[in-house]
Amino acid sequence: MEYEIVIGLEIHSELATKSKIYCSCTTEFGGIPNTHCCPVCTGMPGVLPVLNKNVVEYAAKAGLAMNCKILDFSKQDRKNYFYPDLPKAYQVSQFDLPLCVKGYIDIDLNDKKKRVGITRIHIEEDAGKLIHDEWETGSLIDYNRCGVPLIEIVTEPDMRSAEDARVFMESVRSILKYTEVSDCKMQEGSLRADVNLSVRIAGEKELGTRTEMKNLNSIRSITRAIESEAKRQIDIIESGGSIEQETRRWDDEKGLSYSMRSKEEAHDYRYFPEPDLAPVIIDANWLDRIKSTLPELPDERKKRYIDQYKIPGYDAKIITASRETADFFEEAVGLSNNAKAVSNWIMGDLMNLMKNSECEEIPFSPSHLANLIKLIENGVISGKIAKTVFKKMFETADEPERIVEREGLKVVNDEGQLNNIVSAVVKSNPKSVEDYRNGKKKAIGFLVGQVMKETKGKADPQMVNKLLKDELES
Amino acid sequence: MEICSMPVHILSDKIKNRELSSVEITRAVIDRIKKIDPKIQSYITVVEDEALKKSREIQNDIDAGKFLSPIGGIPVAVKDNICTRGIPTTCASKMLSNFIPPYDATVIKKLKEQKAIIAGKLNMDEFAMGGSTENSFFKKTKNPWNTSCVPGGSSGGAAASVAAGLIPFALGSDTGGSIRQPASFCGVVGLKPTYGAVSRYGLVAFASSLDQIGPLTKNVTDCAVVMNAIAGYDKMDSTSANIEYPDYTGFLTNNIKGMKIGVPKEYMTKGINEDVRKALENAAGVLESLGAECEEMSLQYTEYSIPAYYLISSAEASSNLARYDGVKYGYRASRYTDLIDLYRKTRSEGFGEEVKRRIMLGTYALSSGYYDAYYKKALQVRTIIMDDFNRAFDNYDAVIGPTAPTTAYKIGEKIDNPIEMYLGDIFTASVNIAGLPAVSVPCGFDGENMPIGMQIIAKPFDEGTLIKIGYAFEQNTDFANKYPELD
């Protein structure tokens, strides 16, 4: 039997605002536990929330970038449940009137486009963090994260594979980083997702019973959890069983999920309008101002790079996937005026080095790369040597000129100096010289190689060729 | 006149004229609390040393000729659900019996800026839930007019302390009548401002969409003076109104000629005490004699205000009080087996019966499957009641009626009958539901010499009209000048 997997995601992303959603405490990650909090974010008696306007702007910006309609009237609601990391015992969120509705993201799947619908995006507050490990007799609570603003992005059940979900998550991350709505540092928990998944026999119209998997903290664990859950559900159906609607917890270490609670045990959150906060009203002027802060998005940029810089579509897609890389590309092109070369360096050596070193930020500036390209263009170093310089530049972030100077990597194109080396090589390789003179013109390649070896690759190859020919044919 | 029977505006004049010092007044108040409060039981906390120290500091400022506000140098006591930095704020609950806030409520900040002296924290029904102050974890406050009677509630400590001369003025909070009803029972003036006129920041929430802080004073002049001190926009409270606030003393004109006043027939017939009805008829007569026009009219949805009020307030309370879970501050059960057990025992032991009743009622009303039938319906009723009032204010400057259907009853008389207790809010709760301002002013005594209050209601942010009518009534009657015998 062939099955179709149906996936919807609920993505939580921390917003990059400086202060929290309802008080002026910092949102900075880390810090000594319970030092980034105040009576408001720790839910002391009698305190009141005041909505940080930047949160609305950031969330609306995300909504616009994901083609959503921004509601001019939305409201905040209380989601009630008890847990020690939630000091008020309710989370302020949005229930029936979220800030953004009905959007979509077009994702690129091996040159096939797919549209994933966004049901809604709403704003809410994050909870604190329980620390269980280092304490024998109980758990400790760190409220630093309490009240950090989040958006929750809820998708339509439009994805059909782990790959769809992976590409979608990459797109979301790219958009959030482009718009500077979130820094999306997954290991700091600033982007996490819940997966809703069901399976059905291919061709069926009705959706199967779905399960929800909570709190997946990396794109890798999302794809693994999807593969595992799809298999689990198909196995159950194949063996004649049926799927329970339930919430499951993914254990990334074991690569397995466990049942957390059944449908019957589901929380009744008793949502009701938050009486301490006025409705969020976004008038046309405000919305226009937010719109005007939207940057060029990855898709538009990709198209422009193909047009303007004539680089291949594939390269454009990779370069624009992250805003940092795209910005780096453009600046380096501006300085070097050589889009092809910049693109090649990024696609080749840079991507490799970054992948191998698990480095997330480019360690040198665009001007470094532009200068390196100029060194090649001006014949100061050879293309081969440039690769060495690039690696050094990646490791030390030194200026390429300094590296070339320090390591003595300049092209040797002093005719006198090279002539001496050529003469020496000709003398010590009589066999090859004879071959050449007997018409085996290819033998010159070996001799060139010998000269390069003597000069540690720094000799100007054209000059070596010319000098060798002169010497051999004289 | 004794210092302790003087209203705020007279004390203020005497401080200005150097007839009395802030230290003398504070000393007199503290001495009287020590002497009389064991009988009345209106205070949970008295801050004697700190108050006397502050009064000396402030008197030094006065002696140095520094500017002083109309409440400068005068002691004030506040209901124990208003957060005071460094002073226990218990909400009269075991749950918060050890809670000392590290911050001041906005109203406390304002009082301190204006150099009033915080003398103590006043008894109340636990978390402001109740109408008799019998639901306090600590003590039962007595009505100064008859100590076997309740003072009303939930701001019973505030009303009793002002009536008994135990403080020149007090702040209470009013969610469904909790300032006005005890003011009525104790024969003092109590005003519930328009929702949004006084900051709620630092008021421990009962029902966020209904709660307001307001003054309890000996007379209407003081009421205006204290309103000047506490009203105004606060950026810390998102429900605070960012508008121009008037000088409320400007309404102390003793002129109500030509004002149109509605007297809802629903307020005068629904099973109210005969003495109360007569006092109100008499009061309407007084207002007419002063040139106002009183007319019978109808607020036809009055009877729905009680169920709507108890659903909305309990729903909000169930959420507002969820934070008292034994994890962060306040009471925690001493023995528990796991997290759920910690929650269950802490909340079972930490809350009193009435609070638990409301939490359960509110939780039920918000539960999935019941939300539409209860909470949502209550919100619809709320709109209808607001419309009812809006229509009334198209034709009338104000509406008057009894503050409560009865006078103060005996301690213990209604404690086992919550429904009967709830019905006592019939005339006051609708005002909170509609967010309107209303004041209770003394307007007579029943056959047992217990005070009766007249409630005056006006349109949003028209506290001026309340003060105008209340003041004219007070100037032409003698009820506000009567004091209970306690010495």
Side-chain angles (χ1 to χ4, degrees):
Chain A
M1 206 64 96
E2 204 184 315
Y3 289 89
E4 183 179 47
I5 307 167
V6 179
I7 304 158
L9 296 175
E10 291 167 25
I11 301 162
H12 290 91
S13 175
E14 280 187 355
L15 301 183
T17 57
K18 285 203 175 62
S19 55
K20 291 186 178 179
I21 184 166
Y22 299 121
C23 64
S24 54
C25 291
T26 178
T27 55
E28 214 179 289
F29 178 74
I32 298 163
N34 299 310
T35 55
H36 298 168
C37 40
C38 71
V40 174
C41 53
T42 53
M44 299 283 264
V47 299
L48 294 170
V50 177
L51 178 61
N52 177 351
K53 284 220 158 62
N54 286 330
V55 170
V56 177
E57 291 179 357
Y58 279 48
K61 213 165 146 181
L64 291 167
M66 297 179 193
N67 306 297
C68 287
K69 180 171 183 281
I70 312 300
L71 295 189
D72 53 5
F73 182 99
S74 74
K75 69 178 175 66
Q76 296 166 89
D77 301 271
R78 290 187 187 175
K79 178 180 180 179
N80 296 284
Y81 65 96
F82 286 94
Y83 204 62
D85 66 5
L86 190 69
K88 299 190 296 282
Y90 58 81
Q91 177 195 31
V92 181
S93 179
Q94 295 193 288
F95 184 53
D96 54 340
L97 288 172
L99 199 60
C100 320
V101 296
K102 289 185 183 147
Y104 61 86
I105 298 177
D106 288 329
I107 57 172
D108 261 339
L109 297 162
N110 302 324
D111 298 324
K112 189 177 83 212
K113 286 258 179 200
K114 176 164 195 165
R115 178 161 291 188
V116 176
I118 306 283
T119 316
R120 56 185 280 164
I121 303 175
H122 69 249
I123 55 173
E124 61 185 26
E125 56 182 341
D126 209 343
K129 214 156 67 184
L130 296 189
I131 303 161
H132 302 288
D133 323 343
E134 308 128 45
W135 203 249
E136 295 275 315
T137 56
S139 299
L140 299 177
I141 313 172
D142 178 5
Y143 288 121
N144 281 356
R145 201 178 65 182
C146 223
V148 168
L150 296 175
I151 47 173
E152 179 175 333
I153 304 164
V154 181
T155 77
E156 293 291 310
D158 288 346
M159 286 158 276
R160 294 291 175 268
S161 66
E163 177 64 6
D164 283 8
R166 185 189 67 76
V167 175
F168 179 77
M169 284 298 290
E170 301 277 7
S171 297
V172 168
R173 182 157 74 169
S174 167
I175 290 170
L176 294 177
K177 289 182 82 164
Y178 261 79
T179 50
E180 291 172 326
V181 163
S182 172
D183 58 20
C184 295
K185 291 185 180 150
M186 287 192 104
Q187 72 274 27
E188 293 180 9
S190 60
L191 188 67
R192 36 190 208 265
D194 303 340
V195 174
N196 287 299
L197 187 147
S198 64
V199 298
R200 62 183 167 194
I201 291 165
E204 283 266 340
K205 282 237 164 62
E206 290 285 303
L207 286 172
T209 304
R210 72 187 162 86
T211 61
E212 182 180 10
M213 236 169 325
K214 284 280 189 197
N215 249 332
L216 298 154
N217 286 318
S218 71
I219 291 179
R220 191 172 155 269
S221 56
I222 291 168
T223 54
R224 287 179 70 209
I226 287 172
E227 279 158 5
S228 153
E229 178 60 10
K231 182 173 180 308
R232 191 189 68 87
Q233 290 192 14
I234 291 168
D235 285 351
I236 289 175
I237 294 169
E238 291 276 276
S239 59
S242 60
I243 308 301
E244 297 279 335
Q245 189 177 333
E246 62 182 352
T247 305
R248 301 181 68 82
R249 180 187 285 124
W250 172 252
D251 183 331
D252 208 38
E253 265 169 38
K254 297 206 174 78
L256 285 169
S257 65
Y258 301 94
S259 181
M260 255 171 88
R261 53 177 179 260
S262 69
K263 190 187 175 191
E264 287 71 32
E265 294 166 313
H267 290 302
D268 180 358
Y269 290 119
R270 288 171 283 117
Y271 279 100
F272 75 104
E274 162 59 292
D276 286 330
L277 290 163
V280 181
I281 294 168
I282 303 186
D283 61 22
N285 283 335
W286 194 13
L287 190 60
D288 283 346
R289 276 207 308 282
I290 298 169
K291 270 184 191 153
S292 72
T293 66
L294 264 188
E296 185 186 29
L297 293 168
D299 226 31
E300 303 162 42
R301 239 195 221 202
K302 187 183 88 187
K303 283 177 198 136
R304 180 165 63 80
Y305 283 11
I306 297 168
D307 267 15
Q308 186 180 341
Y309 300 122
K310 316 286 180 217
I311 59 173
Y314 178 76
D315 295 13
K317 180 177 153 188
I318 300 287
I319 289 171
T320 54
S322 113
R323 181 169 180 177
E324 285 94 340
T325 313
D327 285 348
F328 184 95
F329 169 81
E330 258 180 281
E331 211 181 320
V333 172
L335 293 166
S336 67
N337 221 352
N338 189 341
K340 183 90 191 91
V342 173
S343 163
N344 286 341
W345 279 111
I346 291 177
M347 293 296 294
D349 297 61
L350 183 63
M351 292 288 179
N352 266 330
L353 285 168
M354 298 218 5
K355 201 175 154 198
N356 294 336
S357 63
E358 286 176 20
C359 178
E360 287 193 356
E361 268 172 54
I362 304 173
F364 51 81
S365 76
S367 70
H368 283 68
L369 178 56
N371 290 342
L372 180 69
I373 291 167
K374 275 184 210 151
L375 289 176
I376 305 164
E377 286 171 350
N378 297 340
V380 179
I381 52 172
S382 67
K384 201 172 160 218
I385 287 291
K387 283 182 170 292
T388 313
V389 177
F390 190 92
K391 190 152 178 280
K392 293 266 180 218
M393 204 162 77
F394 188 86
E395 285 158 3
T396 62
D398 281 343
E399 284 288 344
E401 295 89 337
R402 274 201 59 194
I403 296 168
V404 168
E405 197 68 36
R406 193 175 59 215
E407 316 264 327
L409 298 173
K410 258 194 194 149
V411 165
V412 177
N413 54 6
D414 177 314
E415 216 175 303
Q417 194 189 340
L418 276 182
N419 247 331
N420 291 339
I421 297 168
V422 165
S423 302
V425 165
V426 167
K427 243 179 229 151
S428 51
N429 291 286
K431 176 97 174 62
S432 299
V433 173
E434 207 185 314
D435 285 351
Y436 181 85
R437 286 186 176 145
N438 289 339
K440 277 177 98 178
K441 297 291 174 199
K442 272 187 185 165
I444 195 168
F446 175 77
L447 294 167
V448 170
Q450 291 304 304
V451 175
M452 294 311 273
K453 199 174 159 193
E454 285 295 312
T455 59
K456 297 201 173 73
K458 291 176 290 183
D460 179 340
Q462 278 174 336
M463 189 175 277
V464 172
N465 252 306
K466 180 178 165 289
L467 291 176
L468 261 179
K469 271 185 192 158
D470 290 352
E471 179 85 20
L472 292 171
E473 285 162 19
S474 65
Chain B
M1 202 162 28
E2 288 262 351
I3 290 176
C4 290
S5 47
M6 290 176 192
V8 173
H9 66 99
I10 289 180
L11 291 170
S12 187
D13 286 346
K14 292 197 184 292
I15 289 174
K16 214 187 292 169
N17 303 333
R18 308 293 161 95
E19 286 174 55
L20 280 174
S21 77
S22 172
V23 186
E24 283 172 281
I25 295 168
T26 308
R27 182 83 259 168
V29 166
I30 297 285
D31 287 348
R32 187 169 168 87
I33 292 171
K34 283 182 177 164
K35 190 173 149 215
I36 302 292
D37 203 46
K39 252 188 267 181
I40 303 300
Q41 303 275 303
S42 60
Y43 281 83
I44 291 176
T45 307
V46 180
V47 285
E48 178 176 351
D49 294 345
E50 182 62 24
L52 286 168
K53 187 175 148 237
K54 263 268 147 357
S55 75
R56 284 190 290 271
E57 277 172 34
I58 289 167
Q59 190 57 43
N60 285 341
D61 284 353
I62 296 167
D63 293 342
K66 282 194 189 149
F67 165 78
L68 208 58
S69 83
I71 56 166
I74 297 173
V76 54
V78 298
K79 190 176 180 177
D80 213 19
N81 59 351
I82 298 173
C83 286
T84 41
R85 185 185 185 125
I87 304 171
T89 298
T90 69
C91 293
S93 179
K94 182 179 181 182
M95 191 60 98
L96 289 179
S97 50
N98 61 1
F99 179 64
I100 301 176
Y103 46 91
D104 274 329
T106 297
V107 289
I108 299 296
K109 262 191 203 149
K110 287 187 158 209
L111 291 178
K112 286 182 175 174
E113 277 161 18
Q114 293 167 74
K115 305 292 178 196
I117 294 160
I118 313 291
K121 303 298 292 287
L122 298 164
N123 199 22
M124 55 187 281
D125 284 299
E126 183 181 5
F127 282 103
M129 296 174 186
S132 66
T133 314
E134 291 166 288
N135 298 330
S136 167
F137 171 66
F138 299 103
K139 49 177 75 171
K140 288 186 170 56
T141 300
K142 316 293 187 292
N143 192 310
W145 292 89
N146 177 346
T147 52
S148 68
C149 288
V150 301
S154 64
S155 311
S161 63
V162 172
L166 296 167
I167 197 72
F169 73 105
L171 296 186
S173 72
D174 189 318
T175 305
S178 280
I179 289 174
R180 292 157 289 157
Q181 183 255 26
S184 165
F185 280 17
C186 293
V188 299
V189 173
L191 185 139
K192 185 212 83 94
T194 311
Y195 187 77
V198 175
S199 171
R200 290 187 297 117
Y201 188 84
L203 168 66
V204 179
F206 160 15
S208 313
S209 75
L210 302 163
D211 296 341
Q212 270 292 286
I213 293 171
L216 291 107
T217 55
K218 289 195 168 83
N219 60 34
V220 174
T221 304
D222 282 6
C223 180
V225 167
V226 179
M227 276 301 287
N228 276 352
I230 62 171
Y233 172 65
D234 177 17
K235 64 175 181 3
M236 298 290 280
D237 176 358
S238 309
T239 61
S240 161
N242 193 358
I243 56 164
E244 285 286 318
Y245 291 83
D247 171 2
Y248 295 101
T249 59
F251 298 97
L252 302 167
T253 58
N254 198 8
N255 179 5
I256 56 167
K257 278 201 185 73
M259 284 188 108
K260 283 198 73 180
I261 297 171
V263 186
K265 56 175 191 270
E266 293 81 2
Y267 286 21
M268 298 297 276
T269 53
K270 281 267 168 190
I272 68 169
N273 175 298
E274 195 55 22
D275 289 346
V276 171
R277 199 175 55 78
K278 276 188 193 140
L280 257 295
E281 279 167 6
N282 175 52
V286 172
L287 296 175
E288 288 209 306
S289 75
L290 297 172
E293 197 185 313
C294 291
E295 194 174 273
E296 190 188 84
M297 43 79 80
S298 170
L299 288 171
Q300 55 176 320
Y301 299 105
T302 299
E303 62 174 311
Y304 298 105
S305 65
I306 291 286
Y309 167 75
Y310 276 92
L311 283 167
I312 293 168
S313 65
S314 302
E316 291 180 10
S318 73
S319 172
N320 283 331
L321 272 63
R323 69 187 63 191
Y324 309 114
D325 56 8
V327 171
K328 308 162 292 284
Y329 45 74
Y331 177 75
R332 176 189 291 183
S334 50
R335 265 193 286 275
Y336 47 87
T337 54
D338 58 15
L339 180 65
I340 300 297
D341 199 43
L342 162 71
Y343 287 153
R344 194 171 284 149
K345 290 217 173 80
T346 296
R347 290 168 66 78
S348 298
E349 295 164 16
F351 288 135
E353 205 170 308
E354 182 61 26
V355 171
K356 283 189 263 195
R357 184 171 11 253
R358 309 251 188 141
I359 289 173
M360 286 189 281
L361 176 61
T363 304
Y364 185 81
L366 289 175
S367 297
S368 91
Y370 299 99
Y371 183 92
D372 286 358
Y374 295 111
Y375 186 73
K376 199 172 162 196
K377 184 69 75 81
L379 291 185
Q380 288 163 346
V381 171
R382 183 177 201 163
T383 308
I384 288 170
I385 288 171
M386 279 171 149
D387 292 345
D388 211 14
F389 273 114
N390 283 340
R391 274 192 302 275
F393 292 120
D394 287 343
N395 298 318
Y396 302 99
D397 297 301
V399 165
I400 62 164
T403 304
T406 67
T407 53
Y409 40 85
K410 291 278 188 289
I411 292 171
E413 191 182 324
K414 295 190 183 179
I415 195 70
D416 295 325
N417 192 342
I419 297 291
E420 199 180 320
M421 193 88 95
Y422 294 175
L423 288 174
D425 300 335
I426 180 81
F427 305 131
T428 46
S430 58
V431 171
N432 300 73
I433 283 184
L436 304 172
V439 69
S440 177
V441 295
C443 74
F445 291 88
D446 71 2
E448 309 286 318
N449 198 37
M450 294 305 285
I452 297 168
M454 164 170 66
Q455 176 174 236
I456 314 169
I457 309 166
K459 61 178 177 288
F461 300 103
D462 196 14
E463 281 81 356
T465 290
L466 305 180
I467 288 165
K468 209 178 220 180
I469 297 171
Y471 183 73
F473 182 76
E474 190 178 86
Q475 291 300 302
N476 294 282
T477 55
D478 205 26
F479 307 115
N481 299 324
K482 293 206 157 58
Y483 298 100
E485 287 295 327
L486 286 164
D487 297 277

